[in-house]
Amino acid sequence: MSNTTPTVFISYAHEGDLQERVKTLAAWLTDNGVQVITDHPYTNRPPEQGWRAWMQHNIEDADIVLMVCSDRYKKLFEKRETPDEGGRGVTWESAIITDDLYDSKMRNQRLFPILPDGGSHKDVPRVLRDWNNGHTFPSGNNGILSLIRDEVVIPTPAVIFQ
């Protein structure tokens, strides 16, 4: 992924000022060479293919999916709260994300929870906790950029321990 422009989809619940905070994160990532997909361009008109297909295709096709975890996001993701007018997207996205984890036998290199500054690790849905490294935004934007761009390199010892 390091030689190409990564594509990142950001999943989040519409609540409080979180929509604006996610928009700011998306703009910052874009300014740093990441192709970011959010629902922000569709404020006045839905995507041509409709919301469900748009969400599904973007989650399936993205190199990385960032899930902005909040109390409401967790409740909707885990089906502990009935979606109101604004919660259907998280409910649909969580089904696709959970299915991806199920199909991959819980092996994951592209679905990562992040928290807004001031967020709580308790807000990370249970199924995502194994991939939570405590990334926050905006204070940890550089860490999120590294999460997106960096390859994991496991060092090989010069001498094998016996």
Side-chain angles (χ1 to χ4, degrees):
M1 193 181 336
S2 55
N3 293 333
T4 62
T5 302
T7 301
V8 173
F9 180 82
I10 303 178
S11 172
Y12 68 101
H14 289 220
E15 60 183 296
D17 68 345
L18 199 52
Q19 189 171 9
E20 274 307 307
R21 293 168 73 188
V22 169
K23 186 176 184 179
T24 301
L25 172 64
W28 186 87
L29 289 170
T30 300
D31 289 346
N32 282 278
V34 177
Q35 175 69 46
V36 181
I37 301 165
T38 69
D39 62 356
H40 293 94
Y42 302 101
T43 300
N44 296 316
R45 180 183 294 183
E48 179 181 357
Q49 68 270 47
W51 282 114
R52 287 178 290 179
W54 179 86
M55 288 182 274
Q56 179 178 341
H57 299 170
N58 283 307
I59 290 170
E60 290 173 348
D61 297 344
D63 296 308
I64 299 288
V65 177
L66 298 175
M67 289 136 312
V68 178
C69 299
S70 62
D71 179 59
R72 183 156 192 262
Y73 188 89
K74 180 182 178 185
K75 287 177 181 171
L76 291 166
F77 193 102
E78 293 181 345
K79 318 298 187 271
R80 296 182 186 277
E81 183 174 295
T82 303
D84 58 21
E85 287 304 310
R88 290 185 199 96
V90 172
T91 303
W92 182 251
E93 291 168 6
S94 70
I96 298 162
I97 290 164
T98 303
D99 190 57
D100 280 359
L101 290 170
Y102 181 81
D103 282 350
S104 69
K105 298 176 178 63
M106 298 298 283
R107 307 293 281 184
N108 174 38
Q109 287 293 301
R110 61 181 218 95
L111 307 167
F112 301 105
I114 62 173
L115 294 165
D117 282 347
S120 170
H121 293 285
K122 295 177 193 172
D123 294 335
V124 177
R126 184 172 297 276
V127 73
L128 301 175
R129 289 181 185 166
D130 282 353
W131 300 282
N132 179 22
N133 271 22
H135 291 290
T136 60
F137 71 96
S139 67
N141 281 6
N142 287 321
I144 292 170
L145 186 61
S146 292
L147 168 73
I148 294 165
R149 290 204 168 275
D150 293 355
E151 300 289 329
V152 174
V153 178
I154 312 268
T156 303
V159 177
I160 302 298
F161 180 75
Q162 298 193 26

